[in-house]
Amino acid sequence: MRSSSLSATTPFLSPAAADRRSGSSASSFEMTTPARPPRTVFLGVDVGTGSARAGLFDTKGRLLGTHSSPIQIWKEGDCVEQSSTDIWHAVCAAVKEACSLANVAAEEVVGLGFAATCSLVAVDADGSPVSVSWSGDARRNIIVWMDHRAVNQAERINANNSPVLQYCGGSVSPEMQAPKLLWVKENLQESWSMVFRWMDLSDWLAYRATGDDTRSLCTTVCKWTYLGHAHMQQVNDKGSRNMEACGWDDVFWEEIGLGDLIDGHHAKIGRSVAFPGHPMGSGLTPTAAKELGLLAGTPVGTSLIDAHAGGVGVMESVPNSGSQDNNTLPDNGAIGNRMVLVCGTSTCHMAVSESKLFIPGVWGPFWSAMVPEYWLTEGGQSATGALLDHLVENHKAAPLLSNRAAAQHISLFELLNRMLESMVHEVKVPFLSALTENIHILPDFHGNRSPIADPKSKGTICGLTLDSSEKQLALLYLAAIQGIAYGTRHIVEHCNSHGHKINTLLACGGLAKNPLYLQEHANIVGCSIILPKENESVLLGSAILGAVASKQYPSLHDAMKALNAAGQVIHPSKDPKVKKYHDAKYQIFRSLYEQQLSYRSIMAEALS
């Protein structure tokens, strides 16, 4: 956790106001000019749950340098909050250090893009933070994506059965913005009256950098119930940068009690929107450029949610035609047959199609929310990396294993993987997956995002004993990975039963660096998994936004094809015994939720 040195009264000026106060007209940040010809470099910024990262890429999509700065987070029960001021300082530190480490001069950075978690930012008319916290702390002006304070509000919104809900799987999640906005209005009236702009975090970052309040089709469509397909008639106008917001459903906002957000042509939630990657304003303002160590006027592309940036950074990472891997993949030339897994604290499952597909319990169809002119389907699991961390770190054997891993200069998870490989021979099971014959996990420790769309779902561990040994922790860890993979299989099967034809997975994010995690997913889902050549796919996706904004490529999709590249391919096991085993465990996995519903019903009747 990063300690903030900022006081609650530190003023946060809007970009324009900050420029006026500073009197700045150009960047004063100086870098040593490298002894080589200037390069064309694209900069991507990704603000995750725990850190702000910056990455620099060349015109072949190769990472030149990266740096990460921690950000502060407050967690109190279902409430999870952050500070936009703290995040901006972390972004500036990460960008400056990444440029220094990569020996990239400010003039070499020709474009910049932002990606971030789909967290909700509140600022007043001057751009200063407005508290969204029970504490009243003005720094805490962000409701983080994973915050579940608005479960009740989400249920009431869904009870209205508005037509807009069919474009988000039939119901809004408490992780979306409408329920969170309603919660603030109902619980923090003073803050509600002070807020001048409600913004998704990635949109706020782009606004903070450029002074342009244009929102992204990605954020507004995926998290705000904006109907992006209202712009389908304008798609042929390639010169269009800003588009007047015509996709808000005013009846919906009035029905749920937020009709005041319609005022001023939706000024508080977005009067104009644009495709991801379209240039914003006049590029970096002088003040933002100085803070970032870049040049004023550097093009900035309209933003993406971090998972969607991962999709942009990896979806075209398929083997070249004629390669051995290409010949073993089914129909890999069709972008509509792929699903991207963005695997981090949570996992997002992203698939696109040329036609809109309505899938109950799965978010979407979202028009142009990731790849322009394609409909996006978005599944997800709210706790994956977070679940593995939780189960491992809270086990009695964890401290000893952590020390052993540190002594061997490997991660704790790599040590667990090695332990499992050894146990295969010790226990004499036919294959590694069979070690969890008696342990079954439903991974809904933070609810089920899809395809059940039940935020009240709880995690289940079946098969516990009094054993608290290191080996038992390894088995628990493996069973959790399998439970997560069964959840992915459930999502893929559900999407395919409603019109998708997914047969290939692409994976990126922190968990995609774990070979056991990947192999279990390949075996359980029954699909090959392609890894990108450049594993910093979210950063690459955000950098692609800057590449498009700088006019280096005619479209986002063209930039994806130029800058994405395939790496390793993981194929599912061909052993029929492995498939039979996972089919059986998958059946148990599905039954765990059905049993939970039964228990809920019994207890509800007992308490009625």
Side-chain angles (χ1 to χ4, degrees):
M1 184 177 292
R2 181 172 184 252
S3 298
S4 176
S5 60
L6 303 168
S7 72
T9 58
T10 299
F12 181 83
L13 301 177
S14 66
D19 281 344
R20 288 194 298 271
R21 174 171 291 188
S22 69
S24 174
S25 61
S27 170
S28 63
F29 186 88
E30 296 180 357
M31 285 186 174
T32 302
T33 303
R36 48 171 167 66
R39 295 167 290 182
T40 296
V41 177
F42 310 123
L43 170 61
V45 172
D46 166 37
V47 176
T49 306
S51 65
R53 302 186 305 141
L56 297 140
F57 298 85
D58 65 16
T59 54
K60 294 186 178 179
R62 292 178 300 200
L63 182 66
L64 303 175
T66 183
H67 188 72
S68 174
S69 294
I71 55 179
Q72 188 166 5
I73 189 166
W74 293 270
K75 293 182 180 180
E76 297 173 6
D78 286 333
C79 296
V80 189
E81 297 153 357
Q82 289 179 323
S83 161
S84 63
T85 308
D86 175 66
I87 286 174
W88 182 253
H89 284 202
V91 165
C92 293
V95 169
K96 288 179 179 178
E97 189 62 23
C99 289
S100 176
L101 291 171
N103 194 24
V104 169
E107 59 268 19
E108 294 180 304
V109 178
V110 301
L112 163 64
F114 291 98
T117 62
C118 49
S119 301
L120 179 64
V121 183
V123 294
D124 66 15
D126 291 328
S128 300
V130 177
S131 177
V132 292
S133 173
W134 283 120
S135 70
D137 186 343
R139 293 173 301 171
R140 294 157 72 164
N141 70 319
I142 297 178
I143 301 179
V144 179
W145 67 270
M146 66 172 67
D147 184 293
H148 271 208
R149 72 181 70 183
V151 170
N152 176 267
Q153 284 76 13
E155 290 178 345
R156 286 188 277 128
I157 290 171
N158 292 331
N160 285 321
N161 200 28
S162 169
V164 301
L165 299 183
Q166 66 180 313
Y167 287 94
C168 50
S171 61
V172 294
S173 161
E175 295 175 14
M176 292 180 175
Q177 309 304 15
K180 292 174 178 174
L181 290 165
L182 185 57
W183 184 94
V184 175
K185 183 175 183 178
E186 293 177 344
N187 292 279
L188 300 174
Q189 282 287 337
E190 183 177 356
S191 291
W192 182 259
S193 64
M194 291 172 61
V195 175
F196 187 76
R197 286 186 175 91
W198 293 101
M199 308 184 78
D200 238 72
L201 179 53
S202 60
D203 282 334
W204 178 83
L205 289 166
Y207 162 71
R208 180 64 178 80
T210 66
D212 185 347
D213 189 21
T214 297
R215 313 295 175 95
S216 169
L217 273 172
C218 177
T219 58
T220 53
V221 171
C222 294
K223 304 302 173 185
W224 297 72
T225 73
Y226 188 82
L227 302 177
H229 50 283
H231 295 286
M232 290 183 75
Q233 299 302 317
Q234 298 169 281
V235 73
N236 292 324
D237 182 9
K238 300 298 183 181
S240 173
R241 177 169 58 86
N242 296 337
M243 297 181 289
E244 182 180 352
C246 58
W248 295 116
D249 187 318
D250 293 350
V251 174
F252 166 75
W253 292 103
E254 290 172 346
E255 285 179 346
I256 67 172
L258 295 175
D260 42 342
L261 294 179
I262 299 170
D263 297 345
H265 300 289
H266 316 94
K268 290 187 177 182
I269 57 175
R271 297 180 63 172
S272 63
V273 296
F275 290 104
H278 281 277
M280 294 192 63
S282 299
L284 288 178
T285 65
T287 294
K290 180 177 180 180
E291 293 167 332
L292 292 163
L294 302 173
L295 298 184
T298 302
V300 177
T302 311
S303 66
L304 284 167
I305 298 168
D306 54 356
H308 302 65
V312 167
V314 73
M315 184 157 268
E316 286 290 355
S317 298
V318 293
N320 295 325
S321 58
S323 70
Q324 181 178 351
D325 282 319
N326 180 283
N327 294 332
T328 60
L329 294 172
D331 301 324
N332 77 9
I335 192 173
N337 293 343
R338 308 168 198 159
M339 174 175 277
V340 175
L341 308 186
V342 186
C343 316
T345 303
S346 63
T347 294
C348 292
H349 303 69
M350 325 288 285
V352 298
S353 58
E354 293 183 357
S355 59
K356 58 182 175 181
L357 301 172
F358 293 99
I359 306 175
V362 178
W363 295 345
F366 300 138
W367 187 74
S368 291
M370 188 172 76
V371 183
E373 301 180 57
Y374 282 89
W375 293 88
L376 171 66
T377 293
E378 182 183 351
Q381 295 163 294
S382 294
T384 51
L387 174 59
L388 296 178
D389 288 342
H390 173 77
L391 292 176
V392 171
E393 291 171 2
N394 286 283
H395 195 277
K396 180 180 178 180
L400 185 60
L401 281 177
S402 294
N403 290 336
R404 190 182 306 163
Q408 297 179 28
H409 304 289
I410 59 175
S411 71
L412 175 56
F413 296 112
E414 187 174 350
L415 179 60
L416 289 169
N417 291 352
R418 292 180 182 181
M419 289 174 59
L420 290 166
E421 291 171 359
S422 298
M423 291 168 65
V424 172
H425 304 291
E426 294 173 13
V427 184
K428 296 181 180 180
V429 292
F431 44 85
L432 187 146
S433 299
L435 289 168
T436 58
E437 174 187 359
N438 297 312
I439 305 178
H440 311 283
I441 293 182
L442 181 70
D444 295 351
F445 283 55
H446 199 55
N448 183 282
R449 187 184 296 172
S450 58
I452 298 170
D454 181 0
K456 292 185 176 180
S457 182
K458 300 293 187 288
T460 302
I461 302 177
C462 177
L464 290 176
T465 69
L466 295 176
D467 187 353
S468 59
S469 67
E470 299 172 1
K471 291 182 179 179
Q472 188 61 25
L473 171 55
L475 294 178
L476 190 66
Y477 159 71
L478 174 58
I481 287 177
Q482 292 171 339
I484 293 167
Y486 296 131
T488 294
R489 174 172 169 175
H490 193 188
I491 292 169
V492 172
E493 289 183 353
H494 189 67
C495 288
N496 283 347
S497 70
H498 286 81
H500 276 286
K501 296 179 181 179
I502 297 160
N503 55 36
T504 303
L505 303 180
L506 300 99
C508 64
L511 290 175
K513 299 173 185 178
N514 185 331
L516 177 63
Y517 188 89
L518 294 170
Q519 190 61 60
E520 289 298 284
H521 271 72
N523 293 347
I524 288 168
V525 182
C527 292
S528 294
I529 301 178
I530 306 172
L531 299 180
K533 188 174 183 179
E534 176 48 65
N535 59 26
E536 292 289 0
S537 298
V538 176
L539 283 174
L540 176 58
S542 57
I544 285 173
L545 299 173
V548 176
S550 65
K551 307 297 184 183
Q552 300 291 316
Y553 301 94
S555 72
L556 187 76
H557 202 182
D558 288 321
M560 290 167 59
K561 290 180 177 179
L563 299 174
N564 288 186
Q568 181 185 2
V569 179
I570 293 92
H571 297 286
S573 171
K574 295 181 180 179
D575 187 344
K577 293 179 181 179
V578 173
K579 183 180 185 306
K580 182 179 180 182
Y581 175 83
H582 284 305
D583 286 346
K585 286 207 68 169
Y586 181 62
Q587 184 178 352
I588 295 170
F589 165 85
R590 294 289 298 271
S591 72
L592 291 175
Y593 179 74
E594 297 302 322
Q595 292 173 27
Q596 182 181 146
L597 289 181
S598 175
Y599 301 155
R600 273 198 227 169
S601 177
I602 292 170
M603 296 312 299
E605 184 176 348
L607 291 169
S608 64

